[in-house]
């Protein structure tokens, strides 16, 4: 009776690390949405009056400000930690998509309100692309 030996899987090579200038550009680009969204998350979690006024204008109950702020802070923390940055970027994209939908629903202006979360998401993904070799391997847009 012949014995069959399964083939040994070949390990996938790790992507080459990003050049130092790309890494620093990515860190700087990532710092912008991290700082902005962290400030926004803290303001929501603390339920400051301007945030509660904005929630009323957007048709949301004041009671969701705290949980939304905490959710945002968790997403930002995941994005800021290199090991979980891709998960954080995915979660932030969903969060920012909800912000877009909210602004569309209430009829806010296109470039200043509706597209602003898109600009933030572009910074999130652009910074991650420059600082994360795994994303560069997945989307090989650079040499």
């Amino acid at each position: 009776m012949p014995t069959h030996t399964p083939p040994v899987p070949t390990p996938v090579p790790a992507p080459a690390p990003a050049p130092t200038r790309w890494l620093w550009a990515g860190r700087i680009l990532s710092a912008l949405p991290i700082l902005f969204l962290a400030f926004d998350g803290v303001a929501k979690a603390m339920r400051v009056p301007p945030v509660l006024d904005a929630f009323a204008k957007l048709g949301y109950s004041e009671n969701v400000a705290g949980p939304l702020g905490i959710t945002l802070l968790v997403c930002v923390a995941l994005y800021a930690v290199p090991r979980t940055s891709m998960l954080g970027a995915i979660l932030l994209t969903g969060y920012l998509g909800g912000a877009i939908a909210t602004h569309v629903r209430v009829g806010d202006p296109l470039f200043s309100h509706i597209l602003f979360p898109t600009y933030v998401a572009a910074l999130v993904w652009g910074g991650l692309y420059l600082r994360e070799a795994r994303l560069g391997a997945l989307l090989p847009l650079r040499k």
Side-chain angles (χ1 to χ4, degrees):
M1 175 176 233
T3 60
H4 177 67
T5 317
V8 178
T10 312
V12 177
T20 305
R21 67 179 186 276
W22 287 349
L23 180 62
W24 277 103
R27 287 176 178 166
I28 292 167
L29 208 58
S30 294
L32 298 172
I34 288 171
L35 292 172
F36 173 75
L37 294 172
F39 176 79
D40 187 42
V42 168
K44 285 177 178 153
M46 291 178 57
R47 299 171 42 99
V48 296
V51 169
L52 299 180
D53 294 342
F55 269 62
K57 177 190 170 281
L58 296 171
Y60 286 113
S61 168
E62 292 180 357
N63 297 333
V64 299
L68 272 179
I70 292 168
T71 300
L72 179 57
L73 289 172
V74 168
C75 293
V76 169
L78 288 170
Y79 176 69
V81 175
R83 188 177 200 108
T84 59
S85 59
M86 281 214 234
L87 174 60
I90 292 167
L91 293 174
L92 284 172
T93 302
Y95 183 91
L96 294 167
I100 292 169
T102 297
H103 288 296
V104 168
R105 183 180 57 81
V106 298
D108 279 338
L110 178 66
F111 292 105
S112 62
H113 289 72
I114 294 174
L115 290 180
F116 185 77
T118 305
Y119 308 147
V120 175
L123 289 173
V124 166
W125 284 102
L128 185 60
Y129 184 80
L130 291 174
R131 69 183 168 103
E132 182 56 63
R134 295 175 297 170
L135 186 56
L138 183 63
L139 299 169
L141 301 176
R142 60 182 181 208
K143 291 183 180 186

